Every structure is written in structure tokens, then in C-alpha cells.
């Protein structure tokens, strides 16, 4: 059991102290969290923008843009949330959004989803699922997902589940309600709808995290618990429940989970709060993680006001949570990818002499993250990192102020052993960090790089994405493209980095793009990665918007084998050969080589992550050992042979004839 006690932290002003060394930032660099991003609930029913021109068809991955539904304004698509979902078993994709002018009333507080049952080629748009009982129950920031019963290949037997914040005023001011329900996918049956108000115990706000496991458990995590804009009070509001086949709905209940964040904001003096929160489960639905960006005082070398990932873990399908599992960004025990990404000349720009050692520099995440859990139950995150206690605005130009390009890195950070050890890779340096979008009703609204991570349903292939603006001598992220890189979890190899939007009408126009929870596994090692973005009026975010689906972006296993991953993962004290023969029947062999005596655990799992056979634990001395695996009783198909030593796992894909 990890510690959950807080360690008090002193308030840091302009000087950060690590051990005995003081670091002085150069004069004029401000506290980095001065920019607040309040929620705004404006609506408009102005005409929808004209469709984009037809995309250019160049290159082997030339994307095609498919027209989706519309919304009354661009606010409902802000932030990294679960808008987009795909399920290869039924070749279906869904996208949830607020509506423009719904059939049952005016305003944009009604919710709909768009869906495709042919892999994104054609779409049925604006299927309404939430009907606001009155103007005071308008929904905001919706999230959506599928529940597809095991073995089903008929879309009409699957269900779409949604969850959103509702402006019912039950938490004081405007916010407080939840609206959620289910709809039998692609049928004329009416959706279910539930409205749940905040109470003195459950101070609900705007949830950041929502998922539905492949076993049918819906989970929403809300880090507000004191009203929008108020300090975080160390408890997450978790609303979850299983799918009930008799009612065609989710039996949801809510509870509080103690997940503290004790750092102090150098801007307001208030508790640091939670910048973002995500929830994800392994393919078998048993191992799950809640990850949030905050400061709980347990990373003692981090500066006050810096954020870092904090995780809580379940091994019983969400019945209980254990933590925290902290990610150490900087310091002597920090991630090499964090310590190394800054160029020497950037350190000279940031700090007064004497220049600090890299291990003494404070680092912080930005405001958003993506999370998934692989086939072995290990968490993978994507988020951006910069130097702590600084003004993020100086990081937003790759050619701009004082040559400050390379101030922000987009990282893939993961644990190979369930949260004890953390490794990672630098996916790329950001050209521009933040974009601001004008709004006539108030200050411009900012959006950052919006990191997402998608996976194959079996959790063996991951796909990381974000938005960025790469225009020469340009210093704001308001003409973004979608960037994507794939990762093979088993082989620890990456693809090249791709600009998905390039040479299409989405080029420099992929506003607030979002990725899917899952990709479409097309067989033969080929994966279609879905994206959605909204076409906006760049001068007025309050105008109606048109959503577009980005179709035909495909990566293959050969693409994912181009770049070797983190060297630390390669330094395991054991190795596992590919099973032989492969394909196989009757029995097969693997060779396990250990560098020291160890207890070796071996199991076989199917492509959904379910363990179908567990072998007896073995004590192996240093050296090479041949293991014979009996395959009797296994039906033909694709499996994983998982070998674990000291909590680390190496897996090999096995084909049984």
C-alpha cells in the first residue's frame, strides 16, 4: 500500500529551493499558472459555416473528411475528453456533441451523437440522446462510449452511453448537475436519460474523465467536488455502474474517493487543484487507473506550484482504489527524457548564473493528459512538460522570443510494473503551446496541445496524438494540425511522427481535434486511427460549428517498428524468445534467459486480455531455460504468452492453429 499522507510544502515565490542550491530565474519570467480558463456557457443559432473544400488526395495516407453534425458554438468541444469512440468488432464509430437547433427545442443544451457502421465511410448524424427538461438543464461538455456485448458483431445489439455536465445550478451559480443515459445503437428505440443534482456531499462540476469497459462498467470521474472555479478538496466524485441488459441502461451510483492534492498555487495561494483527470482500464476490465495532474507534496524535489501525474490503481474492476503512484519528473530520480530535452542555450536563457544542474531544475506538466492501460495492466500516459514556475507564454514559439523553441516536450510515460517504476520517450518538441480564440462575450478562450492516446482493443498497439501549429515565425497554436505517432507495446518500438492534416482541407484548420479511445483493427497488422475536429470561425468561437471526421489515416505494424523505444525497458534482467514453432498446435516452446535466480510467472491471454491459462510458477537460476507450453484445449486464434519476473512482463504473440 502506498502512502496517502500529505507532506506539507512551503510557498515558493521567485526562488525555488532544492536541497542546498538556490535557482534564480531570469528577471521578467512570471509564474506560469497566471492564465485561468473559466467555463463559459454561451449559445448561438447563427447559420452553420459553409463546408470545407474537398481534400487533396496525395500520398499513401491521404485522408478523407466526412461531414458530421453541428453545434451551436465551439465551447462544447473544449478540453481533452472522450468525445470519439470506435469498436472494430462492429466496425462502428461514434462522436458525441452538443446540438445546434435540435428538433425538440431551441438552444445548444441538447446532446446528440453521430455514428458510422461502416468504419467511418458514411455517417448518420445528430441522433439526439439528451433532451434538456428546461433551459436550466442545458447539458455541456458531453462524453460518449460504446458497450458492445462480448462476441457481438451486429451494431444493433450494441449500446451508446453518454455522460455530461448539466447547468442545473445545484452546486451554486450555474453548475452542479449530471445528465447521462444509454441508447441502443443505430435503432429507433428512445434513449434513456437521467438527471442527478449535486448535494452537499457530492459537489459535482464538469467531469474530465469517462469510459466504458469492454465488460460494460461505465465510470465517470469528476475532480471538481467544490464547484467550478473553487479549490479542489481532495476527493474525487466517482459515478459508476454496470450495464443492465434487462433495462438497456447503466445502473449508476456515485461515491467519493480520497485522492489528495496538497500543493499551493504560487498565483492565488490556494491549493494547487487538479489540471486534468482521466480513467482507463485494462482489456479484461480488472486493472484500472485514475490519473490526474496535480501536486500532492510527495515528490519532494518538485517545486511548489509544479504539477505532475498522480495515479490511483484498482485491481478489482473499480471496487477499490490504491495509491498514490507518483511520477517523478525532475531531480536525481527523475525521468531522463525530462532531464534531457532542454537545450543548453535554453537553460542559459531561463536562469541567472550560476546555471543550475539539470537535476536541480523544476519541471511541470501542462494542463492536459491522455491515459490508457495496456494488455498487461500497465498504464501509459501522454502529456507535455516544461520548466516549472514560469510563464507558459514564453514557450509558445518555435522561432520566436529569444529563440525559445523547444521549451515544451510531448512525452509518452508508462510503467512496466504496475506503477512502481516509470519510463518514457520524448514524442516531439512542440512548435507552439497555446492558441487563443476570440469570443465576443468575453476574453479569448485558450486551447493547448490536446494530447490523446488510442489503442487496439487488446492493448498491444497504442497511438498518440496532439495538435500543434508549425508555421515559420509564428508563435501561437491557432492554426493547428493533427500529429500522430504509433507504438508497439510488445516490441517497444515506435512509428515516425506524422502530420495527419497535411495536404488536406484540415491543414492548419484542425481546430480542437480529438482522438478516439480505440482504433479500428483492420486485420493483417493494419490500424485505422479516427480523429474529429471542429470547423470554427477563428474570429468568433461563439458562432455555430461544423464537425468533421478524419478518415483513412492508417498505420501498419511495419510502420510501428521503425524507432526503438526507451533503452531502460530493454535493460530488463531477463529476455524471452519468440515461441517456436509459430504458428503452432499441440505444444510450443519459448526460451527464457535470466541474469539472476528468479521466480518466473507465465500465463497465456487472449486478444481481449483475459487470461485463459496460467502455468505453475517456476524457480529459474541464472542462464537460459527452455519452457514447453501445452496448447491442448486452446481454440485456434491469436494469443499472448506473458512472462513476468519481479513485476515486469515481456509478451510474445502466439498463433494457435
Amino acid at each position: 500500500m502506498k502512502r496517502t499522507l500529505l507532506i506539507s510544502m512551503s510557498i515558493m515565490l521567485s526562488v525555488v529551493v532544492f536541497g542546498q542550491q538556490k535557482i534564480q530565474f531570469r528577471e521578467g519570467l512570471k509564474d506560469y499558472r497566471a492564465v485561468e480558463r473559466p467555463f463559459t456557457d454561451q449559445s448561438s443559432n447563427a447559420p452553420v459555416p459553409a463546408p470545407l473544400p474537398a481534400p487533396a488526395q496525395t500520398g499513401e495516407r491521404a485522408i478523407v473528411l466526412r461531414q458530421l453534425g453541428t453545434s451551436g458554438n465551439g465551447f462544447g468541444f473544449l478540453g481533452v475528453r472522450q468525445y470519439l469512440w470506435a469498436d472494430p468488432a462492429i466496425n462502428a464509430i461514434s462522436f458525441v456533441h452538443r446540438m445546434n437547433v435540435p428538433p425538440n427545442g431551441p438552444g445548444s443544451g441538447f446532446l446528440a451523437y453521430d455514428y458510422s457502421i461502416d468504419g467511418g465511410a458514411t455517417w448518420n448524424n445528430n441522433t439526439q440522446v439528451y433532451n434538456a427538461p428546461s433551459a436550466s438543464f442545458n447539458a455541456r461538455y458531453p462524453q460518449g462510449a460504446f458497450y458492445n456485448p462480448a462476441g457481438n458483431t451486429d451494431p444493433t445489439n450494441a449500446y451508446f452511453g453518454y455522460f455530461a455536465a448539466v447547468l442545473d445550478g445545484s452546486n451554486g451559480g450555474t453548475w452542479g448537475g449530471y445528465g447521462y443515459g444509454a441508447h441502443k445503437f443505430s435503432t429507433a428505440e428512445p434513449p434513456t436519460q437521467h438527471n442527478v443534482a449535486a448535494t452537499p456531499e457530492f459537489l459535482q462540476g464538469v467531469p474530465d474523465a469517462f469510459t466504458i469497459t469492454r465488460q460494460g462498467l461505465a465510470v465517470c470521474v469528476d475532480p471538481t467536488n467544490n464547484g467550478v472555479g473553487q479549490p479542489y478538496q481532495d476527493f474525487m466524485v466517482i459515478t459508476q455502474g454496470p450495464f443492465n441488459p434487462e433495462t438497456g441502461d447503466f445502473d449508476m451510483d456515485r461515491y467519493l474517493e480520497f485522492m489528495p492534492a496538497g500543493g499551493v498555487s504560487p498565483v492565488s495561494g490556494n491549493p494547487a487543484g487538479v489540471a486534468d483527470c482521466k480513467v482507463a482500464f485494462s482489456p479484461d476490465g480488472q486493472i484500472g487507473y485514475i490519473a490526474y495532474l496535480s501536486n500532492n507534496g510527495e515528490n519532494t524535489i518538485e517545486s511548489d506550484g509544479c504539477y505532475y501525474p498522480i495515479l490511483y490503481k484498482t485491481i478489482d474492476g473499480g471496487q477499490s482504489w490504491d495509491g498514490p503512484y507518483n511520477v517523478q519528473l525532475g531531480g536525481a530520480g527523475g525521468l531522463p527524457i525530462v532531464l534531457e530535452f532542454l537545450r543548453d542555450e535554453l537553460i542559459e536563457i531561463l536562469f541567472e548564473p550560476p546555471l543550475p544542474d539539470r537535476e536541480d531544475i523544476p519541471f511541470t506538466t501542462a494542463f492536459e493528459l491522455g491515459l490508457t492501460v495496456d494488455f498487461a495492466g500497465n498504464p501509459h500516459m501522454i502529456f507535455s512538460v516544461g520548466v516549472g514556475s514560469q510563464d507558459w507564454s514564453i514557450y509558445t514559439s518555435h522561432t520566436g522570443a529569444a529563440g525559445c523553441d523547444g521549451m515544451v516536450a510531448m512525452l509518452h510515460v508508462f510503467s512496466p510494473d504496475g506503477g512502481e517504476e516509470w519510463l518514457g520517450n520524448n514524442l516531439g518538441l512542440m512548435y507552439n503551446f497555446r492558441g487563443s480564440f476570440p469570443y465576443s462575450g468575453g476574453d479569448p478562450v485558450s486551447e493547448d496541445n490536446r494530447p490523446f492516446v488510442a489503442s487496439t482493443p487488446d492493448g498491444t498497439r497504442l497511438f498518440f496524438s496532439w495538435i500543434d501549429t508549425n508555421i515559420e515565425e509564428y508563435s501561437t497554436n491557432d492554426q493547428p494540425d493533427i500529429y500522430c505517432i504509433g507504438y508497439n507495446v510488445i516490441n517497444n518500438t515506435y512509428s515516425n511522427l506524422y502530420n495527419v492534416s497535411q495536404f488536406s482541407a484540415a491543414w492548419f484548420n484542425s481546430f480542437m481535434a480529438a482522438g478516439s479511445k480505440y482504433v479500428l483493427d483492420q486485420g493483417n497488422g493494419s490500424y485505422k486511427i479516427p480523429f474529429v475536429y471542429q470547423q470554427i470561425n477563428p474570429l468568433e468561437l461563439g458562432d455555430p460549428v461544423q464537425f468533421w471526421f478524419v478518415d483513412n489515416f492508417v498505420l501498419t505494424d511495419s510502420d510501428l517498428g521503425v524507432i526503438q523505444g526507451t533503452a531502460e525497458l530493454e535493460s530488463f534482467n531477463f529476455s524471452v524468445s519468440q515461441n517456436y514453432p509459430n504458428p503452432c498446435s499441440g505444444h510450443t516452446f519459448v526460451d527464457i534467459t535470466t541474469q539472476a535466480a528468479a521466480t518466473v510467472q507465465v500465463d497465456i491471454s487472449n486478444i481481449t486480455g483475459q487470461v485463459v491459462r496460467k502455468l505453475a510458477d517456476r524457480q529459474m537460476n541464472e542462464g537460459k531455460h527452455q519452457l514447453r507450453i501445452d496448447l491442448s484445449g486452446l481454440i485456434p486464434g491469436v494469443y499472448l504468452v506473458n512472462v513476468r519476473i519481479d513485476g515486469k512482463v515481456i509478451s510474445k504473440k502466439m498463433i494457435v492453429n
Side-chain angles (χ1 to χ4, degrees):
M1 178 73 69
K2 288 208 152 194
R3 302 188 316 276
T4 55
L5 298 177
L6 291 176
I7 301 173
S8 61
M9 303 179 67
S10 60
I11 299 177
M12 179 274 305
L13 298 175
S14 62
V15 178
V16 184
V17 180
F18 297 95
Q20 301 300 315
Q21 183 174 3
K22 292 185 177 181
I23 300 175
Q24 181 68 50
F25 292 103
R26 286 194 179 273
E27 185 176 354
L29 300 183
K30 303 175 183 178
D31 291 327
Y32 76 98
R33 299 214 169 263
V35 178
E36 300 292 340
R37 301 200 291 172
F39 290 99
T40 308
D41 45 315
Q42 295 292 322
S43 298
S44 171
N45 291 320
V48 176
L52 293 170
Q57 299 296 312
T58 59
E60 61 179 0
R61 292 183 180 84
I63 64 171
V64 179
L65 303 182
R66 312 291 188 187
Q67 189 167 347
L68 301 180
T70 60
S71 180
N73 57 52
F75 291 98
F77 200 43
L78 301 182
V80 176
R81 294 184 172 87
Q82 201 62 67
Y83 310 104
L84 188 63
W85 198 277
D87 191 325
I90 52 176
N91 199 30
I93 308 171
S94 69
F95 170 64
V96 67
H97 58 88
R98 288 163 53 187
M99 300 186 75
N100 184 22
V101 182
N104 295 331
S108 61
F110 299 78
L111 303 182
Y113 72 101
D114 310 329
Y115 67 88
S116 170
I117 56 175
D118 57 9
T122 60
W123 287 81
N124 297 277
N125 296 332
N126 295 317
T127 299
Q128 185 173 340
V129 289
Y130 179 84
N131 187 351
S134 67
S136 61
F137 280 82
N138 282 329
R140 294 290 187 266
Y141 304 102
Q143 302 186 73
F146 288 149
Y147 168 57
N148 184 30
N152 176 60
T153 58
D154 182 354
T156 62
N157 292 328
Y159 290 81
F160 174 79
Y162 68 92
F163 204 104
V166 172
L167 304 175
D168 70 355
S170 60
N171 193 2
T174 303
W175 301 90
Y178 289 159
Y180 63 87
H183 182 235
K184 195 167 186 183
F185 188 50
S186 71
T187 69
E189 296 184 19
T192 66
Q193 178 174 325
H194 307 273
N195 284 93
V196 179
T199 68
E201 180 181 8
F202 297 102
L203 298 172
Q204 301 166 169
V206 181
D208 289 334
F210 178 69
T211 194
I212 298 177
T213 70
R214 296 174 62 78
Q215 294 70 34
L217 180 71
V219 182
C220 175
V221 182
D222 181 356
T224 306
N225 197 37
N226 201 33
V228 174
Q230 300 300 313
Y232 178 64
Q233 297 298 307
D234 292 339
F235 285 89
M236 296 281 182
V237 181
I238 301 178
T239 307
Q240 68 181 45
F243 182 78
N244 186 334
E246 294 183 0
T247 62
D249 202 357
F250 295 92
D251 295 333
M252 305 285 274
D253 200 2
R254 58 186 172 177
Y255 63 95
L256 299 180
E257 191 71 30
F258 182 58
M259 297 183 179
V264 177
S265 167
V267 177
S268 64
N270 292 324
V274 173
D276 195 9
C277 175
K278 292 293 172 284
V279 61
F281 286 80
S282 58
D284 67 2
Q286 291 302 298
I287 299 176
Y289 293 86
I290 293 171
Y292 58 101
L293 302 178
S294 191
N295 185 323
N296 63 3
E298 294 200 10
N299 285 8
T300 55
I301 62 91
E302 304 290 359
S303 72
D304 196 17
C306 287
Y307 284 9
Y308 44 80
I310 302 166
L311 294 91
Y312 282 76
K313 178 181 180 180
T314 180
I315 59 173
D316 54 16
Q319 297 182 51
S320 61
W321 298 90
D322 169 51
Y325 295 81
N326 281 23
V327 177
Q328 189 87 31
L329 297 178
L335 292 170
I337 53 169
V338 174
L339 298 175
E340 296 166 1
F341 84 89
L342 282 176
R343 303 193 314 273
D344 290 342
E345 53 266 38
L346 294 182
I347 296 178
E348 294 178 2
I349 292 172
L350 284 168
F351 300 99
E352 297 283 2
L355 297 179
D357 294 334
R358 289 178 178 268
E359 291 183 352
D360 293 323
I361 296 174
F363 291 96
T364 181
T365 66
F367 303 90
E368 301 163 333
L369 84 158
L371 171 71
T372 195
V373 183
D374 69 20
F375 69 94
N378 289 319
H380 295 253
M381 293 177 287
I382 176 176
F383 53 85
S384 54
V385 162
V387 176
S389 302
Q390 297 300 295
D391 180 357
W392 278 90
S393 66
I394 71 167
Y395 304 162
T396 60
S397 173
H398 72 114
T399 58
C404 290
D405 55 304
M407 287 285 195
V408 179
M410 187 65 73
L411 306 182
H412 165 210
V413 174
F414 64 96
S415 173
D417 56 6
E420 299 295 338
E421 179 184 6
W422 295 96
L423 306 174
N425 283 284
N426 186 344
L427 300 178
L429 298 176
M430 298 298 95
Y431 300 112
N432 287 292
F433 170 65
R434 170 167 293 158
S436 296
F437 300 90
Y439 162 55
S440 60
D443 295 333
V445 175
S446 64
E447 278 290 282
D448 298 340
N449 295 114
R450 294 172 66 95
F452 283 85
V453 55
S455 75
T456 52
D458 65 3
T460 63
R461 308 293 190 275
L462 309 182
F463 303 87
F464 303 97
S465 65
W466 61 89
I467 60 171
D468 200 355
T469 299
N470 181 10
I471 301 176
E472 191 71 22
E473 298 184 358
Y474 201 75
S475 60
T476 184
N477 191 16
D478 63 3
Q479 296 187 45
D481 293 329
I482 303 168
Y483 290 83
C484 182
I485 184 170
Y487 178 64
N488 185 321
V489 183
I490 296 176
N491 296 339
N492 185 34
T493 54
Y494 292 84
S495 74
N496 290 314
L497 177 62
Y498 294 91
N499 183 335
V500 178
S501 310
Q502 195 171 29
F503 305 125
S504 77
W507 204 2
F508 304 130
N509 288 290
S510 299
F511 297 109
M512 295 84 176
S516 173
K517 167 63 177 176
Y518 294 115
V519 302
L520 294 180
D521 188 338
Q522 301 184 127
N524 299 319
S526 177
Y527 314 98
K528 179 187 285 190
I529 301 101
F531 299 102
V532 167
Y533 69 93
Q534 61 179 0
Q535 180 189 355
I536 66 171
N537 177 355
L539 301 179
E540 177 54 68
L541 193 61
D543 283 354
V545 299
Q546 173 70 61
F547 296 109
W548 294 91
F549 175 70
V550 179
D551 195 12
N552 201 42
F553 182 72
V554 175
L555 294 178
T556 66
D557 277 337
S558 60
D559 294 324
L560 271 58
V562 175
I563 301 170
Q564 187 62 49
T566 177
E568 292 95 332
L569 191 59
E570 298 304 308
S571 64
F572 277 22
N573 62 357
F574 68 102
S575 62
V576 181
S577 74
Q578 182 62 52
N579 68 293
Y580 58 92
N582 192 40
C584 52
S585 60
H587 65 271
T588 190
F589 299 92
V590 296
D591 294 333
I592 303 172
T593 303
T594 63
Q595 298 178 13
T599 301
V600 180
Q601 300 172 310
V602 181
D603 63 55
I604 301 172
S605 59
N606 59 25
I607 60 173
T608 68
Q610 180 184 14
V611 175
V612 297
R613 180 163 300 170
K614 189 178 189 311
L615 282 64
D617 293 352
R618 288 169 170 79
Q619 296 296 323
M620 292 185 178
N621 295 322
E622 178 183 355
K624 182 177 179 180
H625 307 267
Q626 184 187 65
L627 178 67
R628 184 181 189 274
I629 301 176
D630 181 9
L631 304 176
S632 59
L634 294 182
I635 63 175
V638 179
Y639 297 87
L640 293 174
V641 178
N642 309 304
V643 180
R644 291 179 174 82
I645 297 179
D646 295 331
K648 296 183 173 70
V649 61
I650 296 177
S651 300
K652 299 295 179 180
K653 182 179 288 187
M654 175 178 69
I655 301 174
V656 177
N657 288 331

